C-alpha cells in the first residue's frame, strides 16, 4: 500500500520559552526566597521550584541537557533579581522589597 500525503506528518519539536526570560516567575521566586526566614527554608523552596520546573520540562519532552541549561539560566536570573531587590532595599527611600 502506497502512503498518501495525508498519512505523512512532519516531525515536531517543542520550543520552550527561555526560562531566564520568565520575568514574572523570576521576580516572584526571588521575592519568596528573600522572605524565607532561614537558609534551610530557602533551600527547601528552591528544591520545590526546581522539581516543579523539571517536571514541567520533562512533560513537554525537553531533553535532559536542555533542561539543565534552562534551569541554570532561570536560577542565574533569580540570583540577579535577589541581588537587585536587596540592593534596592538598602538604598535611601527603598526600605521595602517589592
Amino acid at each position: 500500500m502506497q502512503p498518501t500525503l495525508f498519512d505523512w506528518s512532519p516531525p515536531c519539536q517543542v520550543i520552550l520559552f527561555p526560562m531566564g526570560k520568565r520575568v514574572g516567575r523570576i521576580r516572584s521566586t526571588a521575592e519568596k526566597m528573600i522572605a524565607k526566614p532561614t537558609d534551610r527554608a530557602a533551600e527547601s523552596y528552591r528544591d520545590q521550584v526546581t522539581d516543579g520546573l523539571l517536571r514541567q520540562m520533562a512533560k513537554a519532552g525537553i531533553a535532559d541537557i536542555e533542561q539543565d541549561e534552562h534551569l541554570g539560566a532561570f536560577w542565574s536570573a533569580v540570583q540577579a533579581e535577589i541581588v537587585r531587590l536587596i540592593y534596592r532595599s538598602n538604598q535611601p527611600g527603598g526600605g521595602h522589597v517589592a
Side-chain angles (χ1 to χ4, degrees), residues 49-68:
V49 171
T50 297
D51 288 344
L53 293 173
L54 288 172
R55 275 195 306 274
Q56 180 185 20
M57 288 187 283
K59 187 175 179 181
I62 306 300
D64 289 349
I65 193 159
E66 196 174 340
Q67 288 180 27
D68 290 344

Side-chain angles (χ1 to χ4, degrees), residues 15-90:
I15 299 172
L16 185 68
F17 187 82
M19 296 290 235
K21 303 291 184 193
R22 293 182 172 188
V23 177
R25 181 76 186 259
I26 290 164
R27 285 182 181 159
S28 172
T29 302
E31 290 168 357
K32 290 174 183 169
M33 293 284 287
I34 291 170
K36 295 298 176 191
T38 64
D39 287 344
R40 186 173 181 182
E43 196 173 304
S44 175
Y45 177 68
R46 181 186 171 106
D47 291 344
Q48 290 173 9
V49 171
T50 297
D51 288 344
L53 293 173
L54 288 172
R55 275 195 306 274
Q56 180 185 20
M57 288 187 283
K59 187 175 179 181
I62 306 300
D64 289 349
I65 193 159
E66 196 174 340
Q67 288 180 27
D68 290 344
E69 291 171 9
H70 282 286
L71 202 56
F74 176 79
W75 284 113
S76 291
V78 169
Q79 183 63 37
E81 181 66 9
I82 288 171
V83 169
R84 187 189 72 79
L85 290 171
I86 291 172
Y87 175 78
R88 191 173 94 192
S89 71
N90 289 330

